């Protein structure tokens, strides 16, 4: 392959910023010189649920270097109900107003000359509380004696939540129902049923880069530089918060040092904007590592579920009661509840399915988006159940799954057909990789070995909008304007590859502009693995428009019909006619350095699911299909699990950059190992107990598998750019159940609570004896 | 962090004088524990005496064939020291099992001896803790206590001592040399740390202004030894259970044994009961089990840490078994 082709679609061009990221040469938001600014620190609630009687700030205000102290009541005076923001429900104030709903909630903000002063002053603030009955967990919340919010307040973002406005006396802010056939009757009539009570705890994203927002007012406009995956969303939120036209809000970004959903929607931005606007100062808001643990979490989720087969071994019923603990604020929990609830039966042909999926408020730190968007929690349920059912039927868990997996064109339980979702190919690939069909030395003494597989399915966020603007410079380099945020996934690199492939140019000559709402066009969000497909399609289209433009100019210049002109790496060609792009553009404008500009849009569509049945013939634009295989060794004396080989496969449609796809699969698998064996946020009476990098046990490099094999599966999507789809989440879906299924295979115990701690394994072994 | 006076001590005499003159002063060496605690407002000293430049960084052989280790020796340097590696491999193993490389590069021997517990409630000023604020209560007993102690606890405190190094030092019969304005004295390691009783805030038998200057190890025994640590993740995690053991077997009988436990008690736990049962007993699985049972018989568990009893038993037995095998091969 020629070097230039390595920079096109299918080439494993190194990501353009690798050296900068590794050497710390990329300036992230927190590295930017901020100039004269008020540094902000936050006083946080000490009570899980309490009415705020008074906030005493005089002592803090009197400290040298303190510019001001702002409370929720102060902001409410200026902003009214606009203080409450959020993607699904307008329920979260930038600073607690009237009551606090979790330990650690921001109550007052100190603006000071430097961060140390601001932080010291937060200790000089004290609050009088009137304690309210706390809602510590799902059981408390569903008992319905105390309510985290007096009434539900749907935001204007999602029209389908409108009917929930003003509903009182509940902690359930959203319910999704799936009803296909009669699942209860089919379960009761079925020959074999397995059931489980599954639990996946709340976890934290732990990106390396901490969040930071700098906001200021310039010429009556609110401008900010912030760590966000969702610049277009933040612009809208800030415009709503301050009651400004969108043209008077500017959100700019830098590359993120990881995010995984942690830097989405309303994080530090509403507070920074409100403070900058009301104080008329440049403000810098940041968070310590310990504070970052409180900003957002992954939903803890309880799933009570069953799976039933008839006498012939056909799957006849799937029933699941799913409860997502969304904490004090809904964030995007309702969306997670629906999108994950609809795949709770798993990627199988099942005649009858019933899912009740609920999003539940508790007095805990708010849960929001997290790589996988709630799907790993239900995958934990369905992949444990089908494994157990295979054991009960005396069937091979791999073969049993394979028999029932959805194929191309099959309709999933929620009514949408499968396309470009090669579950079978993924499952076969991981089974082969870990040696499923080879003899296994299971061990006879203390160390016992086993193997497990799991399959995952997830829908891409739909509908969403992507836009792209391309400027082709006279020297045949280009500037691509999109609002996708590169947080390490490599989007800036692959978007350039897509454009360059169309334009037959070197993708290294394309600069992707960092999202800046003054310059780059609207894009729904960088999340949910949607960018390669959606923004990638917009980029493909904008490049095609540019190609057509070049060909048009060349045809004019050559005096031939456009159909006769082709674009080559050396420029347009038609028979004996040839010209370089540089000459062509120069000739057109008569100037050096001029640019040609094109723009394009890509918008996906869906059919909203039916309220009663949860069904839709097109609930999503496309599917993610993945599988995980694990070969593990259990130390029966300590209960420790050692992963000898982990294989993770994802159907990406077509790999724009195979190396980056493999890295996404591996990275997701490693994060999944954390959720399987290590990660959990421990809360005791609403208080986070282990919110530090020492106490929160992320896996270390020495806990990784002896062998980790990412496998790219390609079944091209008809409408994807070059057939491609995203891959950011695919790898994480099935990791925990694959490992737990391998534990089941090794030592015969079925665990239903994550993480699989050593003592949970040894205690289960003792009970089994 | 609260404001404090800072004294940089050029020599030991100045350091102990500064501490004697300022009640409540804290010595600052590597800072890996003290600075954390000060940031959390758990430690609030008015005076910090910086001892990091004192010339207490040497390792010397003693006349009796042991080693004297300067109190400001960094954990990494001590672990890598040829005399430690070759003569006290158990100590090197324990040091390298602790913390992270970055922390070991900063942390000192003296600081490690005085390391405070990682009980999350000790760090959290919003919860009661007898150790942090005597008389307030203990949130761990009814709270998240998976990592807490099963031996030597009291109704007022169930926190564990976090050090790995100290467990090895306990097994090695180390002696700590301390100095204050009145002079020097030597404290056997076993007597340095206290059990919590009714006064969990008093963790050692040191006077507030006494400075640890060195640690002395007796001459090494020929017996095979090992430090074995069981923890959640394979680095940067405290021990759920750890075992420091040395076992000398003659003609199938235990001639001498040293055994200490970590992660299970409020202090580095010398397993004297197990040693008593083992000494003179046949070096068999049954003896090892009986010894572990004898040591763990008084264990008191909480909701979250019941598993530690069995885990400690298995780890003790497995470690002794490995040492017995190693000894018989030699």
């Amino acid at each position: 392959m020629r070097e230039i082709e390595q920079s096109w679609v299918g080439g494993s061009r190194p990501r353009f910023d690798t050296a900068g990221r590794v050497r710390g040469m990329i300036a992230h938001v927190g590295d930017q010189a901020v100039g004269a600014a008020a540094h902000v620190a936050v006083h946080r609630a000490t009570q899980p649920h309490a009415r705020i009687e008074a906030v005493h700030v005089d002592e803090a205000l009197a400290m040298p270097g303190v510019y001001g102290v702002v409370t929720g009541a102060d902001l409410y005076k200026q902003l009214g109900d606009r203080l409450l923001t959020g993607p699904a429900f307008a329920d979260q104030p930038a600073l607690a107003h009237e009551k606090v709903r979790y330990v650690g909630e921001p109550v007052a903000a100190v603006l000071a000359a430097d961060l140390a002063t601001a932080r010291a002053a937060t200790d000089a603030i004290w609050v009088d509380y009137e304690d309210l009955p706390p809602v510590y967990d799902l059981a408390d919340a569903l008992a319905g004696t105390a309510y985290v919010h007096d009434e539900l307040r749907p935001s204007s973002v999602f029209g389908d939540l409108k009917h929930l406005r003003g509903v009182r006396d509940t902690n359930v802010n959203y319910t999704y129902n799936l009803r296909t056939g009669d699942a209860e009757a089919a379960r009761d009539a079925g020959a074999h049923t397995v059931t489980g009570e599954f639990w996946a705890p709340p976890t934290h994203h732990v990106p390396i880069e901490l969040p930071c927002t700098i906001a200021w007012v310039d010429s009556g406009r609110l401008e900010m530089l912030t760590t966000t995956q969702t610049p277009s969303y933040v612009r809208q939120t800030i415009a709503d918060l301050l009651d400004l036209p969108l043209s008077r809000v500017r959100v700019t970004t830098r590359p993120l040092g990881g995010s995984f959903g942690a830097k989405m929607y309303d994080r530090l931005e509403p507070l920074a904007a409100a403070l900058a606007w009301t104080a008329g100062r440049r403000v810098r808001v940041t968070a310590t590592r310990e504070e970052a643990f409180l900003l957002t979490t992954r939903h803890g989720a309880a799933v009570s579920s069953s799976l039933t087969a008839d006498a012939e071994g056909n799957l006849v019923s799937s029933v699941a009661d799913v409860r997502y603990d969304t904490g004090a604020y809904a964030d995007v929990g309702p969306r997670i509840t629906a999108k994950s609830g609809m795949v709770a039966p798993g990627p199988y042909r099942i005649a009858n399915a019933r899912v009740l999926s609920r999003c539940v408020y508790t007095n805990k730190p708010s849960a929001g988006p997290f790589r996988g968007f709630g799907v790993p929690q239900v995958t934990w349920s369905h992949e444990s159940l089908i494994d157990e059912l295979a054991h009960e039927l005396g069937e091979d868990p791999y073969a049993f799954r394979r028999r029932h997996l959805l194929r191309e064109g099959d309709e999933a339980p929620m009514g949408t057909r499968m396309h470009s979702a090669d579950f079978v190919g993924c499952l076969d690939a991981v089974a082969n990789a870990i040696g499923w069909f080879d003899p296994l030395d299971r061990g006879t003494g203390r160390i016992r070995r086993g193997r497990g597989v799991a399959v995952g399915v997830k829908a891409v966020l739909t509908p969403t909008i992507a836009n792209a603007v391309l400027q082709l410079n006279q020297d045949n380099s280009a500037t691509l304007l999109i609002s996708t945020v590169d947080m390490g996934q490599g989007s800036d690199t692959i978007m350039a590859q897509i454009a360059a492939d169309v334009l037959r140019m070197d993708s290294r000559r394309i600069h992707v502009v960092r999202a800046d709402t003054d310059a780059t066009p609207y894009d729904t969000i960088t999340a949910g693995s949607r960018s390669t497909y959606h923004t990638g399609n917009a980029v493909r289209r904008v490049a095609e428009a540019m190609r057509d433009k070049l060909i048009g100019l060349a045809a004019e210049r050559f005096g031939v019909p456009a159909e006769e002109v082709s674009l080559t790496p050396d420029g347009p060609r038609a028979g004996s006619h040839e010209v370089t792009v540089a000459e062509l553009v120069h000739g057109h404008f008569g100037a050096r350095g001029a640019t040609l500009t094109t723009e394009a849009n890509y918008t996906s569509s869906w059919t909203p699911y039916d309220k009663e049945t949860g069904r839709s013939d097109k609930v999503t634009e496309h599917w993610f299909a993945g599988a995980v295989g694990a070969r593990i060794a259990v130390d029966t004396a300590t209960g420790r699990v050692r992963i000898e080989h982990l294989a993770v496969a994802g159907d990406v449609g077509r790999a724009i950059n195979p190396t980056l796809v493999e890295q996404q699969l591996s990275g997701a698998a490693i994060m999944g190992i954390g959720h399987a064996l290590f990660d959990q946020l421990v809360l005791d009476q609403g208080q986070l107990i282990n919110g530090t990098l020492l106490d929160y046990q992320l896996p270390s490099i020495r806990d990784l598998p002896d062998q980790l094999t990412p496998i790219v599966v390609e079944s091209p999507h008809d409408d994807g750019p070059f057939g491609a789809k995203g891959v950011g989440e695919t790898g994480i879906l099935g990791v925990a159940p694959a490992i737990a299924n391998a534990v089941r295979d090794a030592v015969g115990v079925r665990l239903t609570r994550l993480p699989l701690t050593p003592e949970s394994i040894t205690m289960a072994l003792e009970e089994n004896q | 962090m609260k404001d404090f006076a800072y004294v940089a001590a050029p020599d030991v005499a100045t350091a102990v004088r500064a501490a004697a003159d300022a009640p409540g002063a804290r010595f600052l060496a590597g800072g890996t524990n003290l600075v954390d605690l000060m940031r959390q407002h758990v430690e609030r000293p008015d005076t910090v005496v910086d001892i990091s430049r004192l010339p207490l960084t040497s390792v010397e052989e003693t006349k009796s064939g042991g080693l004297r280790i300067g109190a400001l020796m960094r954990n990494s340097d001590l672990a890598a020291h040829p005399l430690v590696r070759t003569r006290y491999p158990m100590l090197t193993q324990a040091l390298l099992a602790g913390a992270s490389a970055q922390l070991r590069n900063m942390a000192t021997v003296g600081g490690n001896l005085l390391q405070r517990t990682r009980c999350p409630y000790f760090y959290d000023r919003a919860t009661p803790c007898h150790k942090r604020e005597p008389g307030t209560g203990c949130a761990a007993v009814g709270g998240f206590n998976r990592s807490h102690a099963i031996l030597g606890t009291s109704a007022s405190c169930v926190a564990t001592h976090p050090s790995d190094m100290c467990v090895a030092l306990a097994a090695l019969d180390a002696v700590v040399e301390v100095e204050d304005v009145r002079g020097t004295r030597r404290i056997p390691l076993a007597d340095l740390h206290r059990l919590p009783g009714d006064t969990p805030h008093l963790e050692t038998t040191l006077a507030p202004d006494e400075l640890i200057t060195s640690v002395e190890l007796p001459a090494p025994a020929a017996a095979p030894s090992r430090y074995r640590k069981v923890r959640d993740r394979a680095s940067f995690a405290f021990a759920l259970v750890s075992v420091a053991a040395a076992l000398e077997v003659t003609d199938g009988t235990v001639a001498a044994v040293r055994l200490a436990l970590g992660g299970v008690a409020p202090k580095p736990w010398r397993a004297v009961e197990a040693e008593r049962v083992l000494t003179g007993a046949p070096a068999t699985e049954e003896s090892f089990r009986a010894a572990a049972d004898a040591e763990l018989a008084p264990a008191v568990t909480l909701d979250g840490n019941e598993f530690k009893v069995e885990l400690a038993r298995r780890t003790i037995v497995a470690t002794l078994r490995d040492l017995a095998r190693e000894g018989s091969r030699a």
Side-chain angles (χ1 to χ4, degrees):
Chain A
M1 198 184 278
R2 290 171 57 186
E3 201 189 342
I4 192 170
E5 290 170 23
Q6 269 297 330
S7 87
W8 293 345
V9 169
S12 278
R13 179 197 147 184
R15 73 183 80 192
F16 85 100
D17 56 356
T18 298
R21 285 187 182 269
V22 172
R23 293 183 185 147
M25 300 297 284
I26 288 182
H28 296 282
V29 171
D31 303 321
Q32 301 295 315
V34 65
H39 294 263
V40 176
V42 168
H43 176 89
R44 293 178 181 277
T46 55
Q47 306 302 309
H49 196 197
R51 202 161 295 289
I52 300 170
E53 303 268 271
V55 183
H56 302 280
V57 304
D58 292 350
E59 217 171 279
L61 265 178
M63 291 172 69
V66 171
Y67 299 151
V69 180
V70 176
T71 66
D74 295 336
L75 291 181
Y76 192 81
K77 252 178 251 162
Q78 305 223 25
L79 305 172
D81 278 349
R82 289 187 278 117
L83 177 61
L84 302 169
T85 65
F89 285 76
D91 60 357
Q92 180 160 16
L95 294 171
H97 176 234
E98 292 180 344
K99 70 177 193 174
V100 295
R101 296 183 176 87
Y102 69 95
V103 175
E105 178 165 12
V107 173
V110 176
L111 290 76
D114 59 79
L115 191 55
T117 301
R119 286 190 174 147
T122 62
D123 282 334
I125 293 170
W126 75 95
V127 182
D128 297 335
Y129 292 111
E130 180 205 336
D131 284 336
L132 297 169
V135 179
Y136 287 137
D137 52 30
L138 288 167
D140 287 353
L142 295 172
T145 49
Y147 302 105
V148 179
H149 292 266
D150 296 335
E151 61 173 67
L152 303 183
R153 307 172 52 93
S155 77
S156 53
V157 178
F158 300 116
D160 61 316
L161 301 178
K162 228 182 298 174
H163 65 288
L164 295 169
R165 181 171 302 283
V167 171
R168 299 181 67 88
D169 296 339
T170 182
N171 288 311
V172 178
N173 61 43
Y174 191 74
T175 302
Y176 167 83
N177 281 290
L178 175 65
R179 293 186 177 91
T180 294
D182 188 341
E184 279 97 347
R187 178 191 60 201
D188 296 345
H192 306 278
T193 296
V194 290
T195 63
E197 295 288 333
F198 297 94
W199 170 248
T203 61
H204 183 57
H205 315 62
V206 205
I208 293 178
E209 179 206 24
L210 290 167
C212 182
T213 303
I214 302 157
W216 62 95
V217 178
D218 188 327
S219 311
R221 303 174 79 230
L222 190 289
E223 303 195 7
M224 67 166 56
L225 172 63
T226 186
T227 50
T228 186
Q229 296 174 238
T230 56
S232 299
Y233 170 91
V234 169
R235 179 167 77 143
Q236 182 69 59
T237 289
I238 302 309
D240 291 343
L241 176 78
L242 303 180
D243 196 20
L244 294 172
L246 289 169
S247 60
R248 283 175 60 194
V249 178
R250 179 187 185 193
V251 177
T252 61
T253 65
R254 299 284 307 166
L256 297 179
S259 185
F260 316 108
K263 297 164 185 163
M264 278 177 70
Y265 302 128
D266 309 85
R267 297 279 85 87
L268 303 176
E269 293 86 358
L271 177 62
L275 293 176
W277 191 254
T278 57
R281 278 182 184 277
R282 177 181 292 256
V283 298
R284 183 179 190 275
V285 187
T286 184
T288 63
R289 177 61 68 184
E290 289 72 21
E291 288 178 304
F293 274 98
L294 299 166
L295 284 176
T296 181
T297 67
R298 177 168 103 157
H299 286 77
V303 186
S304 310
S305 50
S306 70
L307 185 65
T308 304
D310 65 15
E312 287 75 46
N314 301 308
L315 299 179
V316 292
S317 168
S318 165
V319 178
D321 176 5
V322 188
R323 286 91 73 200
Y324 286 100
D325 183 344
T326 204
Y329 298 104
D331 198 280
V332 78
R335 277 287 165 272
I336 286 172
T337 302
K339 291 191 62 70
S340 298
M342 69 180 59
V343 295
Y348 300 104
R349 297 164 171 160
I350 308 177
N352 304 279
R354 169 77 178 106
V355 178
L356 170 64
S357 183
R358 286 173 286 176
C359 188
V360 184
Y361 282 127
T362 58
N363 291 120
K364 284 188 188 149
S366 171
F370 190 122
R371 194 179 211 167
F373 212 63
V375 175
Q377 292 94 315
V378 294
T379 308
W380 172 231
S381 156
H382 68 67
E383 285 310 286
S384 297
L385 285 179
I386 196 161
D387 210 70
E388 203 51 39
L389 188 55
H391 281 287
E392 178 165 328
L393 295 172
E395 293 210 37
D396 175 280
Y398 153 80
F400 187 63
R401 278 184 179 77
R402 197 176 194 284
R403 193 142 56 83
H404 296 295
L405 280 171
L406 295 168
R407 265 71 169 181
E408 177 82 18
D410 281 353
E411 188 183 292
M414 95 298 293
T416 303
R417 291 193 184 281
M418 290 293 143
H419 165 57
S420 175
D422 189 1
F423 299 105
V424 172
C426 290
L427 179 62
D428 285 350
V430 297
N432 277 314
I434 63 163
W436 185 270
F437 311 101
D438 304 334
L440 175 68
D441 172 12
R442 294 186 164 272
T444 51
R446 184 174 143 182
I447 305 295
R448 302 297 177 94
R449 287 190 189 77
R451 294 180 291 223
V453 291
V455 184
V457 56
K458 183 183 176 291
V460 74
L461 182 63
T462 310
T464 68
I465 302 161
N467 289 288
V469 174
L470 183 64
Q471 295 175 342
L472 182 70
N473 301 313
Q474 181 263 325
D475 66 354
N476 200 26
S477 67
T479 308
L480 176 62
L481 292 98
I482 52 174
S483 287
T484 298
V485 177
D486 197 326
M487 45 197 157
Q489 83 279 41
S491 55
D492 285 357
T493 302
I494 68 121
M495 294 302 171
Q497 288 181 258
I498 290 171
D501 192 296
V502 174
L503 291 167
R504 306 278 99 181
M505 64 187 286
D506 185 340
S507 67
R508 290 167 299 188
R509 290 176 68 84
I510 300 178
H511 169 63
V512 180
V513 176
R514 276 143 195 170
D516 173 348
T517 59
D518 267 10
T520 57
Y522 178 88
D523 186 276
T524 305
I525 48 177
T526 305
S529 314
R530 67 170 282 282
S531 298
T532 299
Y533 182 94
H534 291 83
T535 312
N537 260 325
V539 169
R540 178 182 56 85
R541 287 181 177 181
V542 83
E544 285 169 355
M546 185 62 73
R547 180 188 61 198
D548 294 348
K549 212 169 201 174
L550 287 174
I551 285 174
L553 291 176
E556 210 173 290
R557 181 180 175 118
F558 298 157
V560 301
E563 301 79 64
E564 289 177 19
V565 181
S566 63
L567 193 56
T568 78
D570 301 313
R573 295 286 181 272
S576 59
H577 298 289
E578 56 179 63
V579 65
T580 65
V581 169
E583 288 163 356
L584 184 66
V585 176
H586 191 277
H588 177 65
F589 287 109
R592 293 187 76 224
T595 63
L596 288 173
T597 302
T598 53
E599 62 164 51
N601 165 273
Y602 186 86
T603 302
S604 59
S605 65
W606 73 321
T607 310
Y609 45 85
D610 182 85
K611 279 276 175 328
E612 291 302 309
T613 66
R615 289 172 59 82
S616 161
D617 63 350
K618 191 191 179 190
V619 80
T620 184
E621 179 72 15
H622 68 72
W623 297 100
F624 300 109
V628 180
R631 192 181 77 234
I632 57 127
V634 178
D635 181 337
T636 56
T638 62
R640 253 189 78 94
V641 173
R642 176 192 180 94
I643 306 170
E644 295 183 338
H645 190 178
L646 193 70
V648 53
D651 180 355
V652 300
R654 167 94 189 274
I656 303 290
N657 183 320
T659 297
L660 292 191
V661 170
E662 287 175 2
Q663 290 172 352
Q664 281 293 306
L665 289 169
S666 298
I670 290 167
M671 197 168 217
I673 290 168
H675 295 150
L677 300 175
F678 297 97
D679 285 37
Q680 64 175 324
L681 290 169
V682 178
L683 290 118
D684 180 7
Q685 299 178 60
Q687 168 78 29
L688 181 60
I689 297 299
N690 63 339
T692 73
L693 286 182
L694 174 51
D695 299 306
Y696 186 84
Q697 293 272 298
L698 287 172
S700 75
I701 193 81
R702 291 164 65 184
D703 298 298
L704 298 191
D706 300 341
Q707 195 181 348
L708 176 55
T709 307
I711 303 165
V712 179
V713 173
E714 295 181 305
S715 64
H717 191 285
D718 289 346
D719 300 320
F722 301 92
K725 305 179 298 175
V727 67
E729 299 163 293
T730 312
I732 202 170
L733 305 178
V735 178
I739 292 171
N741 293 339
V743 170
R744 167 73 170 80
D745 185 50
V747 294
V749 300
R750 169 66 59 192
L751 295 167
T752 59
R753 293 180 70 84
L754 292 174
L756 310 175
T757 60
E759 68 266 30
S760 69
I761 291 174
T762 53
M763 287 191 308
L765 282 170
E766 272 160 40
E767 280 165 24
N768 244 25
Q769 273 167 5
Chain B
M1 196 184 290
K2 166 173 137 358
D3 288 352
F4 54 87
Y6 174 81
V7 180
D11 51 47
V12 172
T14 313
V16 297
R17 169 54 61 198
D21 290 347
R26 286 282 184 271
F27 294 116
L28 174 74
T32 56
N33 192 209
L34 180 66
V35 173
D36 252 9
L37 290 163
M38 288 172 69
R39 288 169 58 127
Q40 302 286 328
H41 297 260
V42 175
E43 292 269 13
R44 301 168 63 87
D46 291 318
T47 302
V48 169
V49 180
D50 185 347
I51 56 167
S52 62
R53 290 173 193 81
L54 301 187
L56 302 173
T57 54
S58 60
V59 171
E60 295 159 12
E61 297 188 66
T62 61
K63 285 191 194 111
S64 56
L67 286 185
R68 179 178 289 109
I69 299 161
L72 288 171
M73 187 90 185
R74 306 280 174 185
N75 283 188
S76 304
D77 294 337
L78 183 60
H81 197 282
L83 292 177
V84 176
R85 272 195 354 233
T86 52
R87 297 182 192 175
Y88 305 91
M90 176 213 286
L91 179 56
T92 289
Q93 290 164 16
L95 285 161
L96 295 180
S100 64
Q102 294 92 331
L103 287 168
R104 293 193 295 269
N105 286 342
M106 291 300 291
T108 64
V109 169
N112 196 325
L113 284 166
L114 300 182
Q115 213 183 140
R116 306 199 70 187
T117 185
R118 192 65 199 181
C119 172
Y121 301 100
F122 174 65
Y123 272 78
D124 180 3
R125 284 184 303 148
T127 59
C129 172
H130 283 307
K131 186 186 279 296
R132 178 170 26 81
E133 288 170 68
T136 53
C138 174
V141 168
F144 180 68
N145 47 40
R146 176 173 183 266
S147 63
H148 287 71
I150 55 173
L151 292 169
T153 57
S154 71
S156 58
C157 189
V158 292
T160 54
H161 194 271
S163 170
D164 292 295
M165 179 194 82
C166 288
V167 182
L169 292 183
L172 291 168
D173 279 324
V175 174
V176 177
E177 200 165 270
V178 303
E179 186 169 336
D180 65 8
V181 288
R182 295 168 292 276
T184 64
R185 64 178 180 125
R186 291 162 57 82
I187 311 170
L189 188 90
D191 299 333
L192 178 69
H193 299 96
R194 300 178 189 234
L195 288 179
D198 298 334
T199 55
H201 59 292
L202 301 176
E203 293 172 357
T204 70
T205 53
L206 295 180
D209 57 346
E210 274 183 314
L211 175 69
I212 297 175
T213 51
S214 66
V215 173
E216 199 176 305
L217 300 179
S225 71
R226 177 158 309 176
Y227 184 75
R228 185 165 194 159
K229 178 173 179 176
V230 182
R231 51 182 159 178
D232 284 325
R233 66 179 167 197
S235 83
F236 198 39
F238 293 106
L240 293 169
V241 167
S242 70
V243 172
L247 184 72
E248 190 183 333
V249 178
T250 311
D251 301 333
T253 299
V254 175
V257 62
R258 294 157 177 271
L259 191 67
L261 307 178
V264 293
K267 61 181 277 186
W269 191 261
R270 183 70 182 258
V272 288
E273 196 52 33
E275 291 179 356
R276 192 187 59 77
V277 169
L278 270 179
T279 308
T284 60
E285 188 88 3
E286 290 68 39
S287 302
F288 301 153
R289 223 176 289 256
D293 286 345
E295 191 63 44
L296 296 165
V300 177
T301 62
L302 304 159
D303 283 348
N305 69 2
E306 266 175 278
F307 72 97
K308 279 194 173 184
V309 179
E310 187 57 33
L311 187 59
R313 179 178 291 120
R314 291 175 182 180
T315 312
I316 292 168
V317 172
T319 308
L320 292 171
R321 186 198 301 132
D322 289 353
L323 290 173
R325 266 189 220 139
E326 197 177 315
S328 66
R329 274 200 304 272

